[in-house]
Amino acid sequence: MAKQPHLLVEEGDVNDIALIPGDPGRVDRIATQCDNVEEVAQNREYKVVNAEYEGVPLTISSTGIGCPSAAIAIEELARVGVETFIRVGTIGALQEDIEVGDMIVATGAAKEEGTSKRYESEVYPAVPDYDVLTSLVDSAEANGEDVHVGPIVSDDAFYNESDEYVDDWNAAGLLAIEMEAATVFSLARRKGLRAGAICTVDGNLVAGTQKGADSDEELPEKAKNNVERAISITLDAVAELA
């Protein structure tokens, strides 16, 4: 099989399990907690690295921002051998009791995005694999971490999340909003693969705070610190899933 055109990887380049942050910089942050790190490829928003954690081989690949970019990553990684995808990202809270720095494990994602709808009807559920979901929750508990577990929403329009949308999502009991999970879950399910997601809260839309609104930096300090803890939870889950 030829190299994939965007990630520039081919069969044999990647491992069965992939951690998929959006940010290429987070690939390096995850890699610092691993051993035997080797860069495989880097192109556009995609950086691909292989590593080991507690003897388990894994791949770390960025997906860029949004479902269209994430879909390319899932398609190309699946074609060359990845079977399990775990999104490690950031997310904006939609419930008042969820604070910046909290962590959320998604049980499903509402499809307020267009990419998954090109693959299937929006009435089909965007849900994670049960084993990946429970491994993330079990890993959090084993690390003494509290996580919120429940449904989220994936949205395309970061700068058009109006009060009307936020109020509706809040009333529906959706925990938080991000930009990739619905497509990641849907594509993995359609391909007979596994997927899950754990995200760190970087703002609270109900409280009127959005990522970057109160700082010159993208993430508040507490969120930065807890991204590292979310990475640790995810890597322990990988060891359980292997």
Side-chain angles (χ1 to χ4, degrees):
M1 181 180 292
K3 281 193 176 183
Q4 299 301 305
H6 301 94
L7 274 67
L8 303 183
V9 293
E10 57 189 341
E11 196 167 353
D13 283 345
V14 300
N15 296 301
D16 293 346
I17 299 176
L19 274 56
I20 49 168
D23 179 8
R26 199 165 299 138
V27 171
D28 296 328
R29 293 178 70 177
I30 296 170
T32 62
Q33 297 193 33
C34 299
D35 300 314
N36 300 323
V37 177
E38 178 186 6
E39 182 172 317
V40 177
Q42 185 164 12
N43 185 52
R44 297 179 179 253
E45 62 264 53
Y46 305 109
K47 182 172 185 177
V48 184
V49 164
N50 283 337
E52 290 185 6
Y53 181 77
E54 295 187 355
V56 178
L58 63 133
T59 293
I60 313 162
S61 175
S62 53
T63 65
I65 297 175
C67 286
S69 178
I72 289 172
I74 300 302
E75 287 277 12
E76 295 192 5
L77 289 170
R79 288 174 186 172
V80 297
V82 174
E83 298 177 351
T84 300
F85 298 89
I86 306 178
R87 169 161 157 70
V88 188
T90 54
I91 198 164
L94 293 168
Q95 302 296 323
E96 291 182 4
D97 63 330
I98 300 178
E99 300 180 358
V100 170
D102 286 3
M103 286 175 275
I104 293 174
V105 174
T107 58
K111 296 175 177 177
E112 291 279 14
E113 41 75 41
T115 304
S116 68
K117 298 170 191 175
R118 292 293 302 275
Y119 286 85
E120 63 184 21
S121 167
E122 65 183 301
V123 304
Y124 297 166
V127 293
D129 174 81
Y130 179 78
D131 289 339
V132 178
L133 166 64
T134 54
S135 292
L136 288 168
V137 175
D138 290 348
S139 177
E141 291 177 352
N143 279 273
E145 300 281 5
D146 292 325
V147 294
H148 304 273
V149 181
I152 63 171
V153 54
S154 298
D155 183 50
D156 276 343
F158 181 86
Y159 287 108
N160 198 33
E161 290 157 358
S162 66
D163 291 343
E164 182 180 8
Y165 277 111
V166 171
D167 290 345
D168 191 48
W169 294 328
N170 170 266
L174 302 180
L175 300 187
I177 181 168
E178 51 79 85
M179 300 184 72
E180 292 85 23
T183 286
V184 171
F185 294 166
S186 296
L187 264 63
R189 171 177 45 76
R190 292 187 70 85
K191 294 176 181 297
L193 306 175
R194 304 190 297 182
I198 181 170
C199 297
T200 304
V201 175
D202 56 19
N204 188 309
L205 279 70
V206 176
T209 61
Q210 194 175 51
K211 178 167 62 175
D214 302 317
S215 170
D216 291 335
E217 298 190 28
E218 180 180 358
L219 296 181
E221 199 62 35
K222 186 178 180 183
K224 286 183 188 177
N225 294 338
N226 285 5
V227 164
E228 298 297 332
R229 293 160 65 195
I231 291 169
S232 296
I233 289 170
T234 308
L235 288 169
D236 285 347
V238 167
E240 181 181 332
L241 286 164

